[in-house]
Amino acid sequence: MTERVAVDMWFDPLCPWAWITSRWLLEVEQVRDVEIRFHVMSLSVLNEGRDLPEQYQDLMQKGWGPVRVCIAAEQAHGGEVLARLYTALGTRIHLGKEELGRELLVGALTDVGLDPALADAADSTEYDEALRTSHEAGMRPVGTDVGTPVIHAPGPDGRQVAFFGPVITPAPKGEAAGKLWDGVLLVAGTPGFYELKRTREQGPIFD
């Protein structure tokens, strides 16, 4: 058997584009010899001190809760729990359009068999140091002028490459997901390659 290689993704549960990318990566895991590992970054941490529109400031304030709960769950149960918890949170946030708050967090924790009391972390700074450490580990290789998703993966020569994106909608399925993965690794692993972008013409599609 071919050994599966670890691919690490940093997410904030609030981001719809990261959610779509994460669903794509889970498809890639089925058609390529990779193992996806999830980690927490925070748009609230990333945007601290920035001049933001009032509506986005409010969202960033609410954004502390989900990432704190993710870190609390990770510390209690190990990093493996994040895939299930992220799926539960994302399903409620992006598919269910539920309002951010304690009810959503308790529901997501219950969905995956975790103690609902972990929702208490949302209003506590107890886990903020660990949150910032996780955030920094993800963002350091790509800089602070990008958000989520961030991916770290072995490049074509085996050395780690780190990049923001890809921003896609909807998530490719099956072999189409694998082909996109092959192409992303190819460009990300090219020395001196930094950016490929075009104007978004549609919003997130969660199919």
PDB file of all heavy atoms in Angstrom, residues 63-97:
ATOM      1  N   GLY A  63     -17.315  35.772  16.164  1.00  0.00           N
ATOM      2  CA  GLY A  63     -16.443  34.708  15.674  1.00  0.00           C
ATOM      3  C   GLY A  63     -15.530  34.093  16.714  1.00  0.00           C
ATOM      4  O   GLY A  63     -14.995  32.996  16.497  1.00  0.00           O
ATOM      5  N   TRP A  64     -15.328  34.764  17.836  1.00  0.00           N
ATOM      6  CA  TRP A  64     -14.474  34.197  18.883  1.00  0.00           C
ATOM      7  C   TRP A  64     -15.050  32.896  19.443  1.00  0.00           C
ATOM      8  O   TRP A  64     -14.311  31.963  19.767  1.00  0.00           O
ATOM      9  CB  TRP A  64     -14.299  35.190  20.031  1.00  0.00           C
ATOM     10  CG  TRP A  64     -13.384  36.326  19.729  1.00  0.00           C
ATOM     11  CD1 TRP A  64     -13.737  37.590  19.357  1.00  0.00           C
ATOM     12  CD2 TRP A  64     -11.950  36.307  19.762  1.00  0.00           C
ATOM     13  NE1 TRP A  64     -12.616  38.355  19.160  1.00  0.00           N
ATOM     14  CE2 TRP A  64     -11.508  37.600  19.405  1.00  0.00           C
ATOM     15  CE3 TRP A  64     -11.004  35.325  20.063  1.00  0.00           C
ATOM     16  CZ2 TRP A  64     -10.164  37.940  19.342  1.00  0.00           C
ATOM     17  CZ3 TRP A  64      -9.661  35.659  19.997  1.00  0.00           C
ATOM     18  CH2 TRP A  64      -9.245  36.940  19.640  1.00  0.00           C
ATOM     19  N   GLY A  65     -16.357  32.820  19.562  1.00  0.00           N
ATOM     20  CA  GLY A  65     -16.981  31.673  20.204  1.00  0.00           C
ATOM     21  C   GLY A  65     -16.680  30.344  19.539  1.00  0.00           C
ATOM     22  O   GLY A  65     -16.162  29.417  20.188  1.00  0.00           O
ATOM     23  N   PRO A  66     -16.968  30.183  18.252  1.00  0.00           N
ATOM     24  CA  PRO A  66     -16.741  28.882  17.613  1.00  0.00           C
ATOM     25  C   PRO A  66     -15.284  28.420  17.650  1.00  0.00           C
ATOM     26  O   PRO A  66     -15.021  27.233  17.889  1.00  0.00           O
ATOM     27  CB  PRO A  66     -17.214  29.117  16.176  1.00  0.00           C
ATOM     28  CG  PRO A  66     -18.240  30.203  16.292  1.00  0.00           C
ATOM     29  CD  PRO A  66     -17.726  31.098  17.370  1.00  0.00           C
ATOM     30  N   VAL A  67     -14.337  29.329  17.433  1.00  0.00           N
ATOM     31  CA  VAL A  67     -12.936  28.883  17.416  1.00  0.00           C
ATOM     32  C   VAL A  67     -12.446  28.533  18.814  1.00  0.00           C
ATOM     33  O   VAL A  67     -11.640  27.604  18.993  1.00  0.00           O
ATOM     34  CB  VAL A  67     -12.011  29.928  16.748  1.00  0.00           C
ATOM     35  CG1 VAL A  67     -12.281  29.985  15.257  1.00  0.00           C
ATOM     36  CG2 VAL A  67     -12.143  31.310  17.372  1.00  0.00           C
ATOM     37  N   ARG A  68     -12.921  29.253  19.813  1.00  0.00           N
ATOM     38  CA  ARG A  68     -12.564  28.896  21.198  1.00  0.00           C
ATOM     39  C   ARG A  68     -13.090  27.510  21.547  1.00  0.00           C
ATOM     40  O   ARG A  68     -12.393  26.710  22.186  1.00  0.00           O
ATOM     41  CB  ARG A  68     -13.127  29.930  22.164  1.00  0.00           C
ATOM     42  CG  ARG A  68     -12.363  31.251  22.201  1.00  0.00           C
ATOM     43  CD  ARG A  68     -13.132  32.307  22.962  1.00  0.00           C
ATOM     44  NE  ARG A  68     -12.326  33.498  23.216  1.00  0.00           N
ATOM     45  CZ  ARG A  68     -12.828  34.659  23.633  1.00  0.00           C
ATOM     46  NH1 ARG A  68     -14.135  34.772  23.859  1.00  0.00           N
ATOM     47  NH2 ARG A  68     -12.030  35.697  23.832  1.00  0.00           N
ATOM     48  N   VAL A  69     -14.311  27.208  21.121  1.00  0.00           N
ATOM     49  CA  VAL A  69     -14.896  25.899  21.400  1.00  0.00           C
ATOM     50  C   VAL A  69     -14.114  24.817  20.671  1.00  0.00           C
ATOM     51  O   VAL A  69     -13.883  23.725  21.216  1.00  0.00           O
ATOM     52  CB  VAL A  69     -16.382  25.887  21.021  1.00  0.00           C
ATOM     53  CG1 VAL A  69     -16.945  24.470  21.064  1.00  0.00           C
ATOM     54  CG2 VAL A  69     -17.173  26.791  21.950  1.00  0.00           C
ATOM     55  N   CYS A  70     -13.700  25.079  19.451  1.00  0.00           N
ATOM     56  CA  CYS A  70     -12.893  24.100  18.711  1.00  0.00           C
ATOM     57  C   CYS A  70     -11.588  23.800  19.436  1.00  0.00           C
ATOM     58  O   CYS A  70     -11.177  22.637  19.546  1.00  0.00           O
ATOM     59  CB  CYS A  70     -12.609  24.616  17.307  1.00  0.00           C
ATOM     60  SG  CYS A  70     -14.000  24.519  16.164  1.00  0.00           S
ATOM     61  N   ILE A  71     -10.931  24.832  19.929  1.00  0.00           N
ATOM     62  CA  ILE A  71      -9.673  24.625  20.655  1.00  0.00           C
ATOM     63  C   ILE A  71      -9.925  23.865  21.949  1.00  0.00           C
ATOM     64  O   ILE A  71      -9.154  22.958  22.314  1.00  0.00           O
ATOM     65  CB  ILE A  71      -8.986  25.974  20.942  1.00  0.00           C
ATOM     66  CG1 ILE A  71      -8.479  26.610  19.638  1.00  0.00           C
ATOM     67  CG2 ILE A  71      -7.823  25.790  21.917  1.00  0.00           C
ATOM     68  CD1 ILE A  71      -7.355  25.860  18.956  1.00  0.00           C
ATOM     69  N   ALA A  72     -10.991  24.213  22.651  1.00  0.00           N
ATOM     70  CA  ALA A  72     -11.320  23.500  23.893  1.00  0.00           C
ATOM     71  C   ALA A  72     -11.555  22.020  23.614  1.00  0.00           C
ATOM     72  O   ALA A  72     -11.087  21.143  24.358  1.00  0.00           O
ATOM     73  CB  ALA A  72     -12.546  24.125  24.551  1.00  0.00           C
ATOM     74  N   ALA A  73     -12.278  21.718  22.536  1.00  0.00           N
ATOM     75  CA  ALA A  73     -12.538  20.319  22.179  1.00  0.00           C
ATOM     76  C   ALA A  73     -11.248  19.614  21.780  1.00  0.00           C
ATOM     77  O   ALA A  73     -11.022  18.444  22.147  1.00  0.00           O
ATOM     78  CB  ALA A  73     -13.546  20.265  21.031  1.00  0.00           C
ATOM     79  N   GLU A  74     -10.390  20.303  21.052  1.00  0.00           N
ATOM     80  CA  GLU A  74      -9.105  19.714  20.653  1.00  0.00           C
ATOM     81  C   GLU A  74      -8.251  19.385  21.868  1.00  0.00           C
ATOM     82  O   GLU A  74      -7.630  18.317  21.945  1.00  0.00           O
ATOM     83  CB  GLU A  74      -8.359  20.672  19.727  1.00  0.00           C
ATOM     84  CG  GLU A  74      -7.020  20.142  19.249  1.00  0.00           C
ATOM     85  CD  GLU A  74      -6.289  21.145  18.379  1.00  0.00           C
ATOM     86  OE1 GLU A  74      -6.490  22.374  18.567  1.00  0.00           O
ATOM     87  OE2 GLU A  74      -5.486  20.714  17.533  1.00  0.00           O
ATOM     88  N   GLN A  75      -8.213  20.283  22.837  1.00  0.00           N
ATOM     89  CA  GLN A  75      -7.416  20.031  24.034  1.00  0.00           C
ATOM     90  C   GLN A  75      -7.993  18.885  24.855  1.00  0.00           C
ATOM     91  O   GLN A  75      -7.255  18.122  25.478  1.00  0.00           O
ATOM     92  CB  GLN A  75      -7.323  21.307  24.878  1.00  0.00           C
ATOM     93  CG  GLN A  75      -6.465  22.380  24.237  1.00  0.00           C
ATOM     94  CD  GLN A  75      -6.002  23.425  25.224  1.00  0.00           C
ATOM     95  OE1 GLN A  75      -6.426  23.448  26.387  1.00  0.00           O
ATOM     96  NE2 GLN A  75      -5.122  24.306  24.780  1.00  0.00           N
ATOM     97  N   ALA A  76      -9.294  18.733  24.853  1.00  0.00           N
ATOM     98  CA  ALA A  76      -9.935  17.680  25.646  1.00  0.00           C
ATOM     99  C   ALA A  76      -9.861  16.320  24.971  1.00  0.00           C
ATOM    100  O   ALA A  76      -9.769  15.290  25.655  1.00  0.00           O
ATOM    101  CB  ALA A  76     -11.391  18.048  25.921  1.00  0.00           C
ATOM    102  N   HIS A  77      -9.884  16.294  23.632  1.00  0.00           N
ATOM    103  CA  HIS A  77     -10.047  15.023  22.923  1.00  0.00           C
ATOM    104  C   HIS A  77      -9.021  14.771  21.820  1.00  0.00           C
ATOM    105  O   HIS A  77      -9.081  13.733  21.164  1.00  0.00           O
ATOM    106  CB  HIS A  77     -11.455  14.940  22.323  1.00  0.00           C
ATOM    107  CG  HIS A  77     -12.552  15.044  23.340  1.00  0.00           C
ATOM    108  ND1 HIS A  77     -12.885  13.991  24.167  1.00  0.00           N
ATOM    109  CD2 HIS A  77     -13.368  16.080  23.676  1.00  0.00           C
ATOM    110  CE1 HIS A  77     -13.885  14.372  24.969  1.00  0.00           C
ATOM    111  NE2 HIS A  77     -14.196  15.627  24.691  1.00  0.00           N
ATOM    112  N   GLY A  78      -8.119  15.701  21.599  1.00  0.00           N
ATOM    113  CA  GLY A  78      -7.114  15.514  20.554  1.00  0.00           C
ATOM    114  C   GLY A  78      -7.550  16.110  19.229  1.00  0.00           C
ATOM    115  O   GLY A  78      -8.741  16.368  18.993  1.00  0.00           O
ATOM    116  N   GLY A  79      -6.582  16.316  18.338  1.00  0.00           N
ATOM    117  CA  GLY A  79      -6.845  16.970  17.070  1.00  0.00           C
ATOM    118  C   GLY A  79      -7.798  16.215  16.170  1.00  0.00           C
ATOM    119  O   GLY A  79      -8.453  16.819  15.299  1.00  0.00           O
ATOM    120  N   GLU A  80      -7.907  14.902  16.364  1.00  0.00           N
ATOM    121  CA  GLU A  80      -8.774  14.102  15.498  1.00  0.00           C
ATOM    122  C   GLU A  80     -10.239  14.523  15.598  1.00  0.00           C
ATOM    123  O   GLU A  80     -11.025  14.299  14.670  1.00  0.00           O
ATOM    124  CB  GLU A  80      -8.648  12.620  15.844  1.00  0.00           C
ATOM    125  CG  GLU A  80      -7.271  12.016  15.600  1.00  0.00           C
ATOM    126  CD  GLU A  80      -6.261  12.346  16.711  1.00  0.00           C
ATOM    127  OE1 GLU A  80      -6.706  12.929  17.743  1.00  0.00           O
ATOM    128  OE2 GLU A  80      -5.081  12.053  16.542  1.00  0.00           O
ATOM    129  N   VAL A  81     -10.612  15.147  16.710  1.00  0.00           N
ATOM    130  CA  VAL A  81     -12.019  15.516  16.908  1.00  0.00           C
ATOM    131  C   VAL A  81     -12.423  16.693  16.026  1.00  0.00           C
ATOM    132  O   VAL A  81     -13.608  16.908  15.770  1.00  0.00           O
ATOM    133  CB  VAL A  81     -12.278  15.849  18.400  1.00  0.00           C
ATOM    134  CG1 VAL A  81     -11.758  17.245  18.762  1.00  0.00           C
ATOM    135  CG2 VAL A  81     -13.753  15.724  18.735  1.00  0.00           C
ATOM    136  N   LEU A  82     -11.449  17.445  15.525  1.00  0.00           N
ATOM    137  CA  LEU A  82     -11.783  18.667  14.803  1.00  0.00           C
ATOM    138  C   LEU A  82     -12.512  18.407  13.494  1.00  0.00           C
ATOM    139  O   LEU A  82     -13.358  19.202  13.087  1.00  0.00           O
ATOM    140  CB  LEU A  82     -10.514  19.495  14.544  1.00  0.00           C
ATOM    141  CG  LEU A  82      -9.921  20.188  15.763  1.00  0.00           C
ATOM    142  CD1 LEU A  82      -8.640  20.918  15.383  1.00  0.00           C
ATOM    143  CD2 LEU A  82     -10.923  21.166  16.377  1.00  0.00           C
ATOM    144  N   ALA A  83     -12.184  17.331  12.801  1.00  0.00           N
ATOM    145  CA  ALA A  83     -12.872  17.042  11.538  1.00  0.00           C
ATOM    146  C   ALA A  83     -14.373  16.893  11.772  1.00  0.00           C
ATOM    147  O   ALA A  83     -15.203  17.459  11.034  1.00  0.00           O
ATOM    148  CB  ALA A  83     -12.293  15.785  10.898  1.00  0.00           C
ATOM    149  N   ARG A  84     -14.740  16.132  12.799  1.00  0.00           N
ATOM    150  CA  ARG A  84     -16.161  15.909  13.077  1.00  0.00           C
ATOM    151  C   ARG A  84     -16.840  17.175  13.581  1.00  0.00           C
ATOM    152  O   ARG A  84     -17.963  17.502  13.179  1.00  0.00           O
ATOM    153  CB  ARG A  84     -16.329  14.778  14.093  1.00  0.00           C
ATOM    154  CG  ARG A  84     -15.887  13.421  13.573  1.00  0.00           C
ATOM    155  CD  ARG A  84     -16.221  12.309  14.554  1.00  0.00           C
ATOM    156  NE  ARG A  84     -15.425  12.373  15.769  1.00  0.00           N
ATOM    157  CZ  ARG A  84     -15.909  12.567  16.992  1.00  0.00           C
ATOM    158  NH1 ARG A  84     -17.204  12.700  17.184  1.00  0.00           N
ATOM    159  NH2 ARG A  84     -15.096  12.586  18.041  1.00  0.00           N
ATOM    160  N   LEU A  85     -16.147  17.909  14.459  1.00  0.00           N
ATOM    161  CA  LEU A  85     -16.754  19.112  15.018  1.00  0.00           C
ATOM    162  C   LEU A  85     -16.884  20.192  13.952  1.00  0.00           C
ATOM    163  O   LEU A  85     -17.910  20.895  13.894  1.00  0.00           O
ATOM    164  CB  LEU A  85     -15.929  19.616  16.199  1.00  0.00           C
ATOM    165  CG  LEU A  85     -16.471  20.853  16.922  1.00  0.00           C
ATOM    166  CD1 LEU A  85     -17.916  20.641  17.378  1.00  0.00           C
ATOM    167  CD2 LEU A  85     -15.585  21.212  18.105  1.00  0.00           C
ATOM    168  N   TYR A  86     -15.870  20.335  13.105  1.00  0.00           N
ATOM    169  CA  TYR A  86     -15.956  21.313  12.018  1.00  0.00           C
ATOM    170  C   TYR A  86     -17.119  20.983  11.093  1.00  0.00           C
ATOM    171  O   TYR A  86     -17.879  21.870  10.680  1.00  0.00           O
ATOM    172  CB  TYR A  86     -14.626  21.336  11.259  1.00  0.00           C
ATOM    173  CG  TYR A  86     -14.562  22.335  10.124  1.00  0.00           C
ATOM    174  CD1 TYR A  86     -15.334  23.494  10.115  1.00  0.00           C
ATOM    175  CD2 TYR A  86     -13.700  22.117   9.047  1.00  0.00           C
ATOM    176  CE1 TYR A  86     -15.253  24.401   9.068  1.00  0.00           C
ATOM    177  CE2 TYR A  86     -13.606  23.021   8.008  1.00  0.00           C
ATOM    178  CZ  TYR A  86     -14.385  24.162   8.014  1.00  0.00           C
ATOM    179  OH  TYR A  86     -14.297  25.050   6.982  1.00  0.00           O
ATOM    180  N   THR A  87     -17.295  19.718  10.774  1.00  0.00           N
ATOM    181  CA  THR A  87     -18.409  19.321   9.924  1.00  0.00           C
ATOM    182  C   THR A  87     -19.745  19.672  10.575  1.00  0.00           C
ATOM    183  O   THR A  87     -20.660  20.187   9.909  1.00  0.00           O
ATOM    184  CB  THR A  87     -18.343  17.814   9.616  1.00  0.00           C
ATOM    185  OG1 THR A  87     -17.210  17.569   8.775  1.00  0.00           O
ATOM    186  CG2 THR A  87     -19.600  17.328   8.917  1.00  0.00           C
ATOM    187  N   ALA A  88     -19.862  19.422  11.867  1.00  0.00           N
ATOM    188  CA  ALA A  88     -21.109  19.736  12.576  1.00  0.00           C
ATOM    189  C   ALA A  88     -21.355  21.246  12.606  1.00  0.00           C
ATOM    190  O   ALA A  88     -22.482  21.708  12.367  1.00  0.00           O
ATOM    191  CB  ALA A  88     -21.061  19.171  13.990  1.00  0.00           C
ATOM    192  N   LEU A  89     -20.315  22.003  12.905  1.00  0.00           N
ATOM    193  CA  LEU A  89     -20.464  23.461  12.944  1.00  0.00           C
ATOM    194  C   LEU A  89     -20.789  24.013  11.560  1.00  0.00           C
ATOM    195  O   LEU A  89     -21.707  24.824  11.399  1.00  0.00           O
ATOM    196  CB  LEU A  89     -19.179  24.106  13.470  1.00  0.00           C
ATOM    197  CG  LEU A  89     -18.887  23.946  14.956  1.00  0.00           C
ATOM    198  CD1 LEU A  89     -17.443  24.343  15.257  1.00  0.00           C
ATOM    199  CD2 LEU A  89     -19.849  24.799  15.787  1.00  0.00           C
ATOM    200  N   GLY A  90     -20.030  23.572  10.564  1.00  0.00           N
ATOM    201  CA  GLY A  90     -20.234  24.085   9.222  1.00  0.00           C
ATOM    202  C   GLY A  90     -21.604  23.740   8.659  1.00  0.00           C
ATOM    203  O   GLY A  90     -22.225  24.539   7.954  1.00  0.00           O
ATOM    204  N   THR A  91     -22.077  22.547   8.982  1.00  0.00           N
ATOM    205  CA  THR A  91     -23.403  22.148   8.523  1.00  0.00           C
ATOM    206  C   THR A  91     -24.471  23.072   9.085  1.00  0.00           C
ATOM    207  O   THR A  91     -25.397  23.490   8.375  1.00  0.00           O
ATOM    208  CB  THR A  91     -23.685  20.687   8.928  1.00  0.00           C
ATOM    209  OG1 THR A  91     -22.715  19.842   8.288  1.00  0.00           O
ATOM    210  CG2 THR A  91     -25.088  20.266   8.523  1.00  0.00           C
ATOM    211  N   ARG A  92     -24.333  23.414  10.347  1.00  0.00           N
ATOM    212  CA  ARG A  92     -25.314  24.297  10.973  1.00  0.00           C
ATOM    213  C   ARG A  92     -25.168  25.749  10.504  1.00  0.00           C
ATOM    214  O   ARG A  92     -26.156  26.444  10.259  1.00  0.00           O
ATOM    215  CB  ARG A  92     -25.189  24.222  12.501  1.00  0.00           C
ATOM    216  CG  ARG A  92     -25.715  22.918  13.073  1.00  0.00           C
ATOM    217  CD  ARG A  92     -25.456  22.794  14.563  1.00  0.00           C
ATOM    218  NE  ARG A  92     -26.111  21.614  15.123  1.00  0.00           N
ATOM    219  CZ  ARG A  92     -27.338  21.590  15.602  1.00  0.00           C
ATOM    220  NH1 ARG A  92     -28.053  22.701  15.625  1.00  0.00           N
ATOM    221  NH2 ARG A  92     -27.858  20.474  16.082  1.00  0.00           N
ATOM    222  N   ILE A  93     -23.914  26.203  10.352  1.00  0.00           N
ATOM    223  CA  ILE A  93     -23.675  27.603   9.978  1.00  0.00           C
ATOM    224  C   ILE A  93     -23.996  27.845   8.509  1.00  0.00           C
ATOM    225  O   ILE A  93     -24.722  28.782   8.162  1.00  0.00           O
ATOM    226  CB  ILE A  93     -22.215  27.997  10.281  1.00  0.00           C
ATOM    227  CG1 ILE A  93     -21.964  27.994  11.799  1.00  0.00           C
ATOM    228  CG2 ILE A  93     -21.897  29.376   9.689  1.00  0.00           C
ATOM    229  CD1 ILE A  93     -20.495  28.124  12.179  1.00  0.00           C
ATOM    230  N   HIS A  94     -23.451  27.009   7.629  1.00  0.00           N
ATOM    231  CA  HIS A  94     -23.511  27.296   6.201  1.00  0.00           C
ATOM    232  C   HIS A  94     -24.700  26.650   5.486  1.00  0.00           C
ATOM    233  O   HIS A  94     -25.240  27.223   4.547  1.00  0.00           O
ATOM    234  CB  HIS A  94     -22.203  26.876   5.535  1.00  0.00           C
ATOM    235  CG  HIS A  94     -21.005  27.523   6.140  1.00  0.00           C
ATOM    236  ND1 HIS A  94     -20.823  28.892   6.125  1.00  0.00           N
ATOM    237  CD2 HIS A  94     -19.940  27.000   6.810  1.00  0.00           C
ATOM    238  CE1 HIS A  94     -19.690  29.180   6.746  1.00  0.00           C
ATOM    239  NE2 HIS A  94     -19.149  28.066   7.177  1.00  0.00           N
ATOM    240  N   LEU A  95     -25.086  25.478   5.924  1.00  0.00           N
ATOM    241  CA  LEU A  95     -26.232  24.819   5.307  1.00  0.00           C
ATOM    242  C   LEU A  95     -27.528  25.155   6.040  1.00  0.00           C
ATOM    243  O   LEU A  95     -28.543  25.452   5.418  1.00  0.00           O
ATOM    244  CB  LEU A  95     -26.019  23.303   5.273  1.00  0.00           C
ATOM    245  CG  LEU A  95     -24.736  22.812   4.581  1.00  0.00           C
ATOM    246  CD1 LEU A  95     -24.723  21.288   4.503  1.00  0.00           C
ATOM    247  CD2 LEU A  95     -24.571  23.422   3.206  1.00  0.00           C
ATOM    248  N   GLY A  96     -27.478  25.102   7.365  1.00  0.00           N
ATOM    249  CA  GLY A  96     -28.665  25.387   8.148  1.00  0.00           C
ATOM    250  C   GLY A  96     -28.943  26.860   8.375  1.00  0.00           C
ATOM    251  O   GLY A  96     -30.035  27.225   8.807  1.00  0.00           O
ATOM    252  N   LYS A  97     -27.935  27.718   8.102  1.00  0.00           N
ATOM    253  CA  LYS A  97     -28.075  29.166   8.287  1.00  0.00           C
ATOM    254  C   LYS A  97     -28.511  29.518   9.707  1.00  0.00           C
ATOM    255  O   LYS A  97     -29.270  30.462   9.932  1.00  0.00           O
ATOM    256  CB  LYS A  97     -29.086  29.758   7.285  1.00  0.00           C
ATOM    257  CG  LYS A  97     -28.796  29.427   5.835  1.00  0.00           C
ATOM    258  CD  LYS A  97     -27.452  29.954   5.383  1.00  0.00           C
ATOM    259  CE  LYS A  97     -27.206  29.664   3.901  1.00  0.00           C
ATOM    260  NZ  LYS A  97     -25.861  30.077   3.455  1.00  0.00           N
TER     261      LYS A  97
END
